[in-house]
Amino acid sequence: MREHIHDQLAVIDRLAEQKPQYQAALESYRQLLEIMQEASEEARDVTSANLPQPDKQSGRPLFERQALPIDFKTASKILAGFMERLSQSGREDRQGLANTLEKLQTEPDWGTALLQCVLDEDADALADFARQVNLDPEGLGFLARTAMSPAMERLRSAFAGRIDPENWNHGHCPLCGSRPDMACFTSSGKRYLHCELCGTQWAFQRIGCPFCGNADQERLGYLEPEEETGFRVYFCKNCLKYIKTIDKREIEEAPPLVLADIVTLHLDLIALEASYG
Ligand SMILES: [Zn+2]
Ligand SMILES: [Zn+2]
């Protein structure tokens, strides 16, 4: 169930053809993937420290998100590559991207602190970093998180044997403890969640909210755009959160979940209109 950078590159063209409204977003993302592919060759191997096994009963993941062993130097370099490439495009925020590139090149500790604040999910600190370079915090956070994905891919391969994704069944990732950003039903009808940070996929009960654990069918539901069967928003009336889901029983060539997230922005809007967030 792993999703590698080269797998993603292979399906971007097909996806852009199927969903022309997302062509620009996919094209930008392809540029990021190409930079990641080049830079990740140099990434340091992570040391397989003497970690306790994840604990299924208590839900303790293999790593605490804040203490993930990330090669920040390589991730900063990738982030600088993103800034350089994107700042040369006609984007409205190109000045902010150029400011960020300069910061990364002149103050290496700035990049490390930025990446760490994304791991810490410290929204105030992220807003402060964004203010310093005149970028939107959400965009900066997305790019910083994406810059760490080659490191996450390495972590996933290095520690695949230490987690048991088929039997985890918690609403957070067995590897890093983060929340899911997407879900899917496989052709056999099993549900998997996809980690928003490290990309691990793990099995989760078919009925139930991954965010608050609510399993009362009366308090759960889903929305599905008429013109697009198989792409749904599953929501929870208890915590008012939602998870975008693709149903592989209804979609012939389902995209990797990380790309599905990019081409389902309209599902986020549907959820938002229905007051889920
Ligand atoms: Zn994870
Ligand atoms: Zn819930």
Side-chain angles (χ1 to χ4, degrees):
M1 296 294 283
R2 279 201 221 123
E3 295 178 345
H4 291 294
I5 290 170
H6 60 87
D7 298 335
Q8 296 179 40
L9 280 166
V11 295
I12 278 193
D13 287 332
R14 170 169 60 79
L15 212 50
E17 211 167 284
Q18 287 169 350
K19 298 186 180 294
Q21 70 274 37
Y22 288 112
Q23 203 164 358
L26 287 166
E27 195 41 55
S28 299
Y29 191 67
R30 180 215 301 279
Q31 295 186 355
L32 304 186
L33 285 172
E34 285 167 356
I35 294 166
M36 285 191 269
Q37 202 171 28
E38 282 164 30
S40 59
E41 305 287 309
E42 311 161 15
R44 265 192 306 129
D45 262 326
V46 284
T47 49
S48 128
N50 207 3
L51 294 160
Q53 288 294 114
D55 182 29
K56 186 181 181 228
Q57 198 155 3
S58 70
R60 190 195 64 236
L62 185 62
F63 291 103
E64 294 300 329
R65 178 179 166 122
Q66 296 86 344
L68 281 164
I70 301 283
D71 175 0
F72 283 125
K73 217 175 128 202
T74 305
S76 292
K77 203 173 149 191
I78 294 170
L79 187 58
F82 291 174
M83 297 299 163
E84 191 172 12
R85 181 82 65 96
L86 296 175
S87 65
Q88 289 160 3
S89 65
R91 290 166 59 120
E92 271 179 24
D93 56 359
R94 57 188 181 274
Q95 187 55 49
L97 297 163
N99 298 341
T100 314
L101 175 61
E102 201 189 324
K103 274 278 193 198
L104 290 166
Q105 286 171 336
T106 54
E107 297 174 42
D109 292 346
W110 191 88
T112 304
L114 167 64
L115 295 166
Q116 183 64 49
C117 100
V118 170
L119 294 183
D120 295 343
E121 298 187 287
D122 185 339
D124 292 338
L126 179 61
D128 191 45
F129 280 108
R131 229 184 341 263
Q132 291 175 42
V133 291
N134 195 23
L135 272 185
D136 147 57
E138 212 169 299
L140 181 61
F142 171 78
L143 291 172
R145 210 171 59 231
T146 307
M148 288 189 275
S149 52
M152 298 297 170
E153 193 170 305
R154 293 172 85 85
L155 274 185
R156 286 206 316 262
S157 354
F159 294 100
R162 302 291 299 275
I163 58 173
D164 183 8
E166 296 298 324
N167 295 298
W168 181 243
N169 204 38
H170 287 280
H172 56 269
C173 172
L175 188 87
C176 77
S178 302
R179 287 179 303 273
D181 59 359
M182 287 288 299
C184 71
F185 285 106
T186 63
S187 48
S188 62
K190 214 171 163 182
R191 178 156 71 149
Y192 285 86
L193 303 179
H194 175 263
C195 175
E196 58 112 1
L197 183 67
C198 78
T200 294
Q201 295 186 31
W202 69 96
F204 190 65
Q205 65 208 56
R206 289 175 47 82
I207 296 165
C209 169
F211 305 107
C212 74
N214 167 31
D216 175 1
Q217 297 218 37
E218 302 286 309
R219 309 281 301 154
L220 295 163
Y222 70 83
L223 299 162
E224 183 173 44
E226 262 172 46
E227 66 286 0
E228 202 181 31
T229 54
F231 287 84
R232 304 187 196 115
V233 169
Y234 282 78
F235 58 81
C236 168
K237 292 184 188 169
N238 280 10
C239 70
L240 302 180
K241 292 199 167 69
Y242 70 93
I243 184 141
K244 294 190 291 186
T245 301
I246 60 175
D247 191 334
K248 295 184 177 177
R249 292 167 297 187
E250 294 185 27
I251 302 167
E252 217 169 290
E253 288 179 287
L257 289 182
V258 60
L259 292 176
D261 189 25
I262 295 176
V263 299
T264 51
L265 196 64
H266 55 291
L267 293 184
D268 294 295
L269 298 177
I270 289 172
L272 201 67
E273 274 168 24
S275 302
Y276 295 99

